[in-house]
């Protein structure tokens, strides 16, 4: 007697556990590897004679401000991915009106890190071009970050 004949018809999971684990590993690993970045800039610089200048080209006695932002993957996004896959696994045997829930959660677990990465890329490209001295930098909430504002050296 094989295990195939022991199964009751209709008890097979719609989404296998192995498939959900693989989806989770791919989503988390891909997000963790790609969702990193940094941006930096300043409002001013050094003139040809070695003196400091501000963003408008005016001479200054002190060095202008610079900024550096380092962004890393957020544990919050990882928790959302794991939560969606847990819901997909828990509802994988559901039939009827809620049969859409498990596959939808699996797809959402792949879409969330893509959206987080796209938002992070857009934030980085916008911040580096628009920062002005004295304006606070507020990194995106979906990323871990380190913000440093210092004087040019």
């Amino acid at each position: 007697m094989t295990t195939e004949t022991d199964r009751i018809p209709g008890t097979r999971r719609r989404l296998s556990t192995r498939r959900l684990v693989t989806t989770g590993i791919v989503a988390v690993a891909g997000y963790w590897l790609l969702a990193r970045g940094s941006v930096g800039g300043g409002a001013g610089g050094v003139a040809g004679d070695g003196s400091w200048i501000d963003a408008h080209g005016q001479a200054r006695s002190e060095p202008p401000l610079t900024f550096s932002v380092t962004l890393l993957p957020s544990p919050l996004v990882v928790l959302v991915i794991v939560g969606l896959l847990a819901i997909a696994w828990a509802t994988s045997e559901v039939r009827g009106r809620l049969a859409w829930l498990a596959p939808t959660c699996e797809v959402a677990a792949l879409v969330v890190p893509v959206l987080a990465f796209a938002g992070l890329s857009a934030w980085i490209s916008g911040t580096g071009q628009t920062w002005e001295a004295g304006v606070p930098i507020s990194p995106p909430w979906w990323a871990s970050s380190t913000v440093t504002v210092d004087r040019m050296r």
Side-chain angles (χ1 to χ4, degrees):
M1 188 178 269
T2 67
T3 56
E4 286 297 314
T5 57
D6 292 338
R7 287 190 180 165
I8 300 170
T11 60
R12 188 177 148 264
R13 284 189 176 274
R14 293 174 68 103
L15 292 174
S16 71
T17 303
R18 181 180 300 157
R19 176 176 157 179
L20 290 174
V21 168
T22 303
T23 300
I25 290 170
V26 167
V28 169
Y31 170 70
W32 208 258
L33 290 172
L34 294 176
R36 299 170 182 274
S38 63
V39 63
V46 181
D49 62 359
S51 63
W52 302 110
I53 57 173
D54 64 11
H56 305 291
Q58 304 299 319
R60 298 179 50 125
S61 60
E62 60 184 18
L65 291 174
T66 62
F67 75 94
S68 172
V69 181
T70 303
L71 299 165
L72 298 170
S74 172
L76 176 64
V77 174
V78 173
L79 286 174
V80 169
I81 294 168
V82 170
L84 286 167
L85 291 174
I87 292 170
W89 182 81
T91 60
S92 62
E93 292 182 7
V94 172
R95 304 272 188 245
R97 297 177 91 186
L98 293 177
W100 59 269
L101 191 57
T104 303
C105 285
E106 183 183 25
V107 169
L110 293 171
V111 170
V112 164
V114 170
L115 291 176
F117 174 70
L120 190 66
S121 298
W123 186 88
I124 286 173
S125 64
T127 299
Q129 299 170 4
T130 61
W131 184 75
E132 294 178 22
V135 176
I137 299 172
S138 52
W141 59 267
W142 65 89
S144 300
S145 62
T146 304
V147 178
T148 306
V149 177
D150 200 1
R151 297 275 176 197
M152 188 177 283
R153 296 180 186 167

